[in-house]
Amino acid sequence: MNQWRTGWMQGVADFRDLGRAGADETLRVRVVSAVAGERARVKLSNRFGDGPLSVGALSVSAGDRVISARFAGRTDVTLPAGQECWTDPLDVTVQRGGEVTVDLYLPKPTVQATGNYSRMLMEVSGPGDHVGSPDFPAVGIPTVEAPDGSRLPLPVPFVCGLEVFGPEVAVTAVCLGDSITAGGWPEGAQELLAPRLDAVMLNAGIAGNRLRTDSGGPVASFGPSGLSRFEHDVLSVTGASDVVIALGTNDLGLPGVDAPLADLPSAQQMIDAYRRLSDRAAEAGLDVTIVTITPFLGSEGYDDSREGIRSVVNDWIRTAAPHHVDFDAALRDAEEPRRLAEAYDSGDHLHPNDAGTDRLAHAMATHLAHRHGSAVG
């Protein structure tokens, strides 16, 4: 039976401190839908804005069809600070794994405050309304300066969800995580599952995100905690059947580095937070999987006391979580289990490289396939 399903989403955070304000420009955002259907709608967010978001026009393109969007019948919309909205349903055919392009025209000076670093980059036009244009006058991919002086693509603002009206899928899992999740293991797991299990893995990773503690100040872009954003980023996701909780690394590593040392939790406080999220998910009818916290010996923020907390928490996840996937075991060094194996270390002793991300994807795909009576090669 056809129904609305989430085909793509991103968790959003507060990027006001980046300070980029555009006016009389068009943004072009390309996303990939995990589901197919014959109608679609797009979600916009001004959740962290200080003022209204004015969108003069918006279009959605899939294949060779370009549709002008409407908002309650209007071609423009003004979204107050803190609010979100959906376009009206659009008659556009979306393919599973197909690219969907969203253009939005910003006629007024607009601080791009709400968004996320995304694997889907955006382009920005020269002056004018170029919504739906086949010859988009891109002026490049805007970047911002990172704390280490490197340049990062500007976070993708405002566009935070795509729903598609189409056939039901077996599993729709929201992956609530940090930068390790944002790095792409959900998409990798979905690709591995595709031949054997009709599964959608939605990436709700936010770099720097924590399980228990909201971020603020100079690192507000680390986002609301898993506890705070669970309703918004998991329970409100259309069609969700599962949640994967992949948070905890930054609860241990950030205090004393990019957060007050007083934020460092005890093992019991972390376990209590996992239990709270598990209970909320179960009440909503979602299956819960919690992943173990991966090693970080050698990274900034590591010490023996934090390693002790990680060990206790991981033991609880392995023995008491509703379901678990052992990301720790997948990535740790055989001789020094407090450290990432060299083959999977990106170089900072915290984040996995591409091979490590692939290994996490395989671990998650194997888990879900096993639960649903399939197999992953």
Side-chain angles (χ1 to χ4, degrees):
M1 181 176 68
N2 285 354
Q3 52 193 297
W4 286 105
R5 294 283 169 184
T6 303
W8 171 86
M9 65 167 289
Q10 65 171 355
V12 292
D14 183 349
F15 283 90
R16 281 174 290 185
D17 288 341
L18 292 180
R20 185 184 188 277
D24 188 30
E25 65 181 12
T26 304
L27 309 183
R28 173 161 286 182
V29 179
R30 293 183 173 91
V31 304
V32 174
S33 177
V35 296
E38 297 181 351
R39 285 190 288 167
R41 58 191 181 195
V42 170
K43 186 179 184 181
L44 299 180
S45 178
N46 192 26
R47 189 176 178 189
F48 298 104
D50 289 323
L53 166 63
S54 295
V55 177
L58 185 147
S59 71
V60 175
S61 308
D64 59 359
R65 186 165 172 78
V66 181
I67 302 291
S68 295
R70 292 183 177 270
F71 302 86
R74 295 176 57 92
T75 57
D76 63 332
V77 66
T78 298
L79 196 55
Q83 299 298 307
E84 299 179 328
C85 73
W86 288 93
T87 66
D88 297 343
L90 304 162
D91 291 326
V92 59
T93 299
V94 176
Q95 302 295 330
R96 180 166 185 161
E99 187 174 275
V100 177
T101 300
V102 181
D103 291 352
L104 58 159
Y105 173 58
L106 306 176
K108 300 178 181 180
T110 306
V111 176
Q112 295 172 10
T114 301
N116 195 359
Y117 293 116
S118 177
R119 302 177 82 226
M120 304 300 164
L121 301 180
M122 73 168 177
E123 297 176 295
V124 178
S125 77
D129 178 356
H130 303 284
V131 166
S133 172
D135 300 309
F136 190 77
V139 295
I141 298 171
T143 62
V144 294
E145 185 173 348
D148 63 2
S150 62
R151 304 295 300 185
L152 296 172
L154 189 74
V156 173
F158 309 132
V159 181
C160 66
L162 171 73
E163 289 186 357
V164 178
F165 191 76
E168 185 175 357
V169 295
V171 176
T172 298
V174 183
C175 303
L176 189 74
D178 50 33
S179 57
I180 295 174
T181 298
W185 62 257
E187 290 85 349
Q190 179 177 293
E191 184 175 346
L192 289 169
L193 287 166
R196 301 168 179 85
L197 179 65
D198 188 17
V200 171
M201 306 294 291
L202 300 172
N203 194 328
I206 297 176
N209 201 226
R210 287 184 277 178
L211 173 69
R212 299 178 60 257
T213 309
D214 296 341
S215 297
V219 288
S221 61
F222 289 170
S225 69
L227 287 171
S228 295
R229 67 186 180 106
F230 199 72
E231 177 76 31
H232 182 274
D233 288 357
V234 178
L235 300 184
S236 67
V237 174
T238 301
S241 63
D242 289 63
V243 59
V244 178
I245 301 170
L247 291 169
T249 299
N250 292 314
D251 294 69
L252 299 179
L254 287 183
V257 180
D258 286 317
L261 184 58
D263 286 355
L264 183 66
S266 67
Q268 190 59 53
Q269 286 174 319
M270 294 186 70
I271 290 167
D272 289 344
Y274 288 124
R275 282 179 171 146
R276 286 177 59 188
L277 293 185
S278 294
D279 289 346
R280 290 168 68 184
E283 289 170 1
L286 302 183
D287 285 340
V288 180
T289 297
I290 304 177
V291 308
T292 51
I293 302 171
T294 52
F296 65 109
L297 174 64
S299 70
E300 192 174 20
Y302 177 89
D303 60 37
D304 289 343
S305 66
R306 299 175 201 225
E307 174 63 24
I309 295 170
R310 186 179 78 91
S311 178
V312 172
V313 169
N314 280 351
D315 285 346
W316 178 87
I317 292 171
R318 292 183 181 107
T319 57
H323 302 283
H324 81 277
V325 176
D326 204 338
F327 277 10
D328 170 46
L331 296 185
R332 68 192 179 202
D333 185 87
E335 296 182 0
E336 175 48 275
R338 298 175 299 171
R339 185 190 305 276
L340 290 174
E342 185 177 356
Y344 304 130
D345 190 345
S346 66
D348 65 2
H349 312 304
L350 175 66
H351 296 92
N353 57 17
D354 289 346
T357 297
D358 290 346
R359 189 162 172 84
L360 297 183
H362 191 276
M364 183 58 63
T366 300
H367 163 73
L368 289 173
H370 177 75
R371 279 179 50 203
H372 292 275
S374 185
V376 171

